[in-house]
Amino acid sequence: MDPEHPTAGEGAAVLIDTFGRVATDLRVSLTDRCNLRCTYCMPEEGLQWLAKPDLLTDDEIVRLVRIAVTHLGIREVRFTGGEPLLRPGLVGIVERCAQLEPRPKMSLTTNGIGLKRTAKALKAAGLDRVNVSLDTLRPDVFKTLTRRDRHKDVLEGLEAARDAGLTPVKVNTVLMPGLNDDEAPDLLAWAVENDYELRFIEQMPLDAQHGWKRDGMITAGDILESLRTRFDLTEEGSTERGSAPAERWIVDGGPHRVGVIASVTRPFCSACDRTRLTADGQVRTCLFATEETDLRAALRAAPEDTEGGSDEAIAAIWKQAMWGKKAGSGLDDPTFAQPDRPMSAIGG
């Protein structure tokens, strides 16, 4: 096989790799900036942010999403960051992408702080649902974890998203030793009560400080053991899961479910269907990739260079990048090297 003549999709142009995986889910980082300073993501003083000329413009983002949808078989688009609600043109980007044919499913991963203000507008623009990061129900622990006193704002943002119909509202939680590792059952009870879908995520080696340690990490096994002290969990099964990163369990017979994304201890690389675009226009084949492919240069090719800047040429570069995707993240390899770029720059 080769990326120009895939066997999948009846010969249609798709983002296929040498292992036969086809990417249909695009993660688009809109900014590397964030208004929190979560301890597992970045230092208290923040980072050296990307310069504005390095960021993709609104038009460039929409164009790349259009190429992905119309030329490369992308069916789902997730807008991420940093914190995507800090992007001034977010609502307009969503609205324009909602007009594409075929229309992709669109979601947003956010810390929730700005959702109270923007949820209705995002829904009206065409956003389908949101994932909101919240690691604790305790305001004091939230302040310690994020170095900001914004817990109330996140809770209000979650309510606004639910009320606006950005459902199912999924809540992403990372448990940290000695801080919130005792909260799993309380978090699930709260999620069930408020009709949110809770997903625990193992802490991954994507922090800017490179301080992640496998020893002491709260694992999927730890989380499930804690949840079972209060709830009856029935595994949903691989058929229902498909290519989704979260293993899901039915809570107390249903209808509510809880998910665990075990990127470290139970990797799901063989079913991965994602391609990633950074805020400065780089294609990443994996969260843990150490290499990127530049699409921004092709987008900004001189007008006379019609071959370099055409939709077809950009699609070809993208296909070639994904063709070289590795079999797995390499987390279990003794030579694993953490990516230089932190999560805020990569996009979750």
Side-chain angles (χ1 to χ4, degrees), residues 97-238:
C97 291
Q99 296 169 3
L100 295 173
E101 291 292 341
R103 183 197 186 282
K105 293 181 180 179
M106 291 186 295
S107 57
L108 178 81
T109 295
T110 170
N111 62 30
I113 288 175
L115 271 179
K116 183 179 180 180
R117 173 176 49 85
T118 57
K120 289 183 180 179
L122 287 168
K123 179 64 177 180
L127 192 72
D128 294 302
R129 62 169 194 83
V130 294
N131 284 36
V132 179
S133 299
L134 180 65
D135 300 323
T136 178
L137 298 176
R138 304 194 293 252
D140 59 326
V141 176
F142 182 91
K143 187 174 182 180
T144 299
L145 276 168
T146 68
R147 304 182 178 105
R148 298 291 186 271
D149 191 11
R150 306 297 298 272
H151 190 256
K152 181 174 179 287
D153 296 317
V154 179
L155 295 179
E156 290 178 347
L158 278 160
E159 293 173 5
R162 183 190 59 204
D163 294 345
L166 293 169
T167 55
V169 175
K170 297 184 179 181
V171 178
N172 295 340
T173 296
V174 177
L175 297 181
M176 302 288 290
L179 287 172
N180 62 339
D181 52 341
D182 61 336
E183 285 196 69
D186 290 340
L187 282 159
L188 182 52
W190 165 81
V192 167
E193 180 182 353
N194 288 278
D195 201 24
Y196 304 140
E197 183 175 324
L198 183 62
R199 291 137 51 97
F200 292 96
I201 304 176
E202 288 182 338
Q203 185 194 1
M204 294 179 283
L206 292 169
D207 59 305
Q209 310 93 299
H210 287 209
W212 177 86
K213 301 292 183 186
R214 185 183 294 266
D215 294 342
M217 182 188 75
I218 308 300
T219 67
D222 297 330
I223 294 164
L224 292 169
E225 182 180 357
S226 178
L227 292 176
R228 286 187 169 116
T229 62
R230 195 183 306 179
F231 301 94
D232 178 56
L233 302 181
T234 305
E235 191 168 2
E236 190 174 60
S238 58

Side-chain angles (χ1 to χ4, degrees), residues 6-315:
T7 59
E10 298 182 352
V14 292
L15 291 172
I16 194 169
D17 64 36
T18 56
F19 300 94
R21 297 168 298 192
V22 177
T24 58
D25 184 331
L26 169 62
R27 306 297 172 98
V28 182
S29 176
L30 299 180
T31 178
D32 60 330
R33 296 172 183 263
C34 189
N35 43 10
L36 296 180
R37 296 292 182 270
C38 297
T39 56
Y40 52 77
C41 185
M42 66 175 70
E44 185 172 4
E45 64 274 15
L47 299 168
Q48 182 66 47
W49 309 121
L50 291 167
K52 187 173 182 179
D54 293 335
L55 294 171
L56 294 177
T57 66
D58 292 1
D59 287 344
E60 289 171 337
I61 290 170
V62 173
R63 184 184 176 196
L64 286 176
V65 173
R66 175 175 56 78
I67 291 170
V69 168
T70 61
H71 286 65
L72 298 171
I74 290 297
R75 298 195 295 267
E76 297 186 31
V77 177
R78 173 85 60 86
F79 297 107
T80 71
E83 174 44 54
L85 293 180
L86 295 179
R87 177 90 187 200
L90 171 61
V91 173
I93 291 170
V94 170
E95 186 173 33
R96 292 167 67 184
C97 291
Q99 296 169 3
L100 295 173
E101 291 292 341
R103 183 197 186 282
K105 293 181 180 179
M106 291 186 295
S107 57
L108 178 81
T109 295
T110 170
N111 62 30
I113 288 175
L115 271 179
K116 183 179 180 180
R117 173 176 49 85
T118 57
K120 289 183 180 179
L122 287 168
K123 179 64 177 180
L127 192 72
D128 294 302
R129 62 169 194 83
V130 294
N131 284 36
V132 179
S133 299
L134 180 65
D135 300 323
T136 178
L137 298 176
R138 304 194 293 252
D140 59 326
V141 176
F142 182 91
K143 187 174 182 180
T144 299
L145 276 168
T146 68
R147 304 182 178 105
R148 298 291 186 271
D149 191 11
R150 306 297 298 272
H151 190 256
K152 181 174 179 287
D153 296 317
V154 179
L155 295 179
E156 290 178 347
L158 278 160
E159 293 173 5
R162 183 190 59 204
D163 294 345
L166 293 169
T167 55
V169 175
K170 297 184 179 181
V171 178
N172 295 340
T173 296
V174 177
L175 297 181
M176 302 288 290
L179 287 172
N180 62 339
D181 52 341
D182 61 336
E183 285 196 69
D186 290 340
L187 282 159
L188 182 52
W190 165 81
V192 167
E193 180 182 353
N194 288 278
D195 201 24
Y196 304 140
E197 183 175 324
L198 183 62
R199 291 137 51 97
F200 292 96
I201 304 176
E202 288 182 338
Q203 185 194 1
M204 294 179 283
L206 292 169
D207 59 305
Q209 310 93 299
H210 287 209
W212 177 86
K213 301 292 183 186
R214 185 183 294 266
D215 294 342
M217 182 188 75
I218 308 300
T219 67
D222 297 330
I223 294 164
L224 292 169
E225 182 180 357
S226 178
L227 292 176
R228 286 187 169 116
T229 62
R230 195 183 306 179
F231 301 94
D232 178 56
L233 302 181
T234 305
E235 191 168 2
E236 190 174 60
S238 58
T239 302
E240 291 290 333
R241 180 182 183 185
S243 61
E247 298 177 76
R248 299 204 308 176
W249 281 261
I250 300 167
V251 180
D252 289 342
H256 293 94
R257 285 161 169 76
V258 63
V260 179
I261 299 178
S263 302
V264 178
T265 62
R266 302 180 187 177
F268 38 86
C269 302
S270 63
C272 181
D273 65 350
R274 288 157 187 76
T275 184
R276 300 175 182 276
L277 185 65
T278 67
D280 54 351
Q282 310 300 305
V283 171
R284 293 184 63 87
T285 61
C286 174
L287 271 175
F288 304 104
T290 55
E291 299 174 346
E292 298 176 336
T293 301
D294 188 5
L295 292 186
R296 186 184 63 197
L299 280 172
R300 298 179 181 179
E304 63 271 15
D305 185 6
T306 55
E307 178 66 23
S310 70
D311 286 359
E312 292 75 17
I314 291 169

